[in-house]
Amino acid sequence: MVDALGQSARIHTTVDDGRAVVWRQWGAGPLVVLLHGNSGSWTHWVRNIAALAERFTVLVPDLPGHGDSDLPAGDVSCAAFASLLWRGIDQIAGPDANVALAGFSLGSVLGESMARQQPLRVRQILLLRGAFTRTVPRPPELLRWRGIADPAEAARIHRHNLEVSMFGDAALVDDQAVRLHADNLERCRLDTRPLLASRELEAFLGLRCPVHGIAGERDVYGGGDAPAQGRALREALPQAVFDMIPRAGHWAAYEAADTVNALMVRSLEMKHDQI
């Protein structure tokens, strides 16, 4: 499935300060930009792209230093990455293109910065993550995988890490998820700690477009209390709507793809303009 989906994509390579960013495009209709999570790639959305592409133009970058994209030339911060992504969209869709943004985890934070920089171009934003409070709960302890020579042992470690950090139901961690996760980690060359540390809280609190928060009920990054996170989102942004995905974890878009896809399509069809 992953290979076929990748082969069906239209590939764009944008250049920013001499460094390439690779984007994949599917479908037709209003433009939706999907932003993947920390140490990931476009494959974080592998179970969502086809459903969205039936109604929308789906544009998915590999963030700088991830997947097929080069390391960035300059500052590693949410603001700098947001500017870089807008310049890429300008190259592909034109400087007047308006977009809906959907971000997973780190991608949701970058989406906030993008909306802060060019609010008139953002129709709406979908935030797929566990935490909407000002402070993020402490992440789980993960096993180290670098330097493990035995492929079977490395796969076991990746499966364990997915079970404790990304999925709500360990039984749903399939071989494809393990392969995608391992491949994404191997290809990530960016130290993402400065990027994560540069989050602009004012960008989140200043969102004025329609906002849709989606969180797995068992997302460990939400501290195990998704309803409280939903209340925090609505208190910060009165225009926001919130949906909790029962029994799902952090990577709900993969683990509970059918449910998440239906929510995303319904939300995106409620507010959009043709580009």
Side-chain angles (χ1 to χ4, degrees), residues 15 42 59 110:
V15 178
W42 72 271
L59 188 61
L110 293 176

Side-chain angles (χ1 to χ4, degrees), residues 45-256:
W45 301 100
V46 70
R47 288 187 169 179
N48 318 108
I49 289 166
L52 295 174
E54 291 179 0
R55 297 167 175 84
F56 308 102
T57 297
V58 179
L59 188 61
V60 192
D62 282 350
L63 296 175
H66 295 70
D68 294 327
S69 294
D70 292 340
L71 284 163
D75 182 32
V76 176
S77 69
C78 287
F81 271 44
S83 296
L84 182 152
L85 291 168
W86 275 123
R87 292 192 292 272
I89 292 170
D90 291 349
Q91 291 181 45
I92 296 167
D96 297 323
N98 68 85
V99 306
L101 299 172
F104 166 51
S105 196
L106 169 64
S108 71
V109 175
L110 293 176
E112 293 166 4
S113 292
M114 291 179 69
R116 182 187 188 198
Q117 289 181 3
Q118 300 210 37
L120 297 181
R121 296 179 64 182
V122 178
R123 299 191 304 274
Q124 68 181 121
I125 186 166
L126 282 65
L127 306 174
L128 287 78
R129 64 174 188 244
F132 297 98
T133 51
R134 297 193 180 199
T135 58
V136 178
R138 185 174 180 176
E141 294 289 336
L142 303 179
L143 299 179
R144 293 183 61 84
W145 58 273
R146 292 191 185 277
I148 302 298
D150 179 11
E153 176 63 9
R156 185 194 70 79
I157 291 172
H158 288 309
R159 183 178 296 273
H160 166 82
N161 289 345
L162 284 170
E163 290 173 355
V164 301
S165 69
M166 297 282 270
F167 279 68
D169 183 349
L172 296 179
V173 180
D174 59 9
D175 290 342
Q176 176 179 261
V178 174
R179 288 194 299 271
L180 294 178
H181 184 63
D183 182 64
N184 284 333
L185 289 173
E186 289 283 358
R187 295 200 297 154
C188 181
R189 287 91 60 211
L190 183 75
D191 180 356
T192 60
R193 290 173 294 182
L195 189 58
L196 291 164
S198 72
R199 183 197 176 192
E200 301 175 296
L201 183 60
E202 60 271 28
F204 169 64
L205 296 175
L207 290 173
R208 295 294 177 263
C209 62
V211 177
H212 188 175
I214 300 174
E217 179 182 16
R218 299 175 180 172
D219 191 325
V220 295
Y221 296 97
D225 193 346
Q229 294 292 343
R231 290 192 296 272
L233 172 63
R234 290 189 294 268
E235 289 170 4
L237 300 171
Q239 81 274 26
V241 296
F242 176 77
D243 281 294
M244 182 182 75
I245 311 301
R247 299 176 296 281
H250 190 56
W251 196 8
Y254 185 97
E255 183 179 8

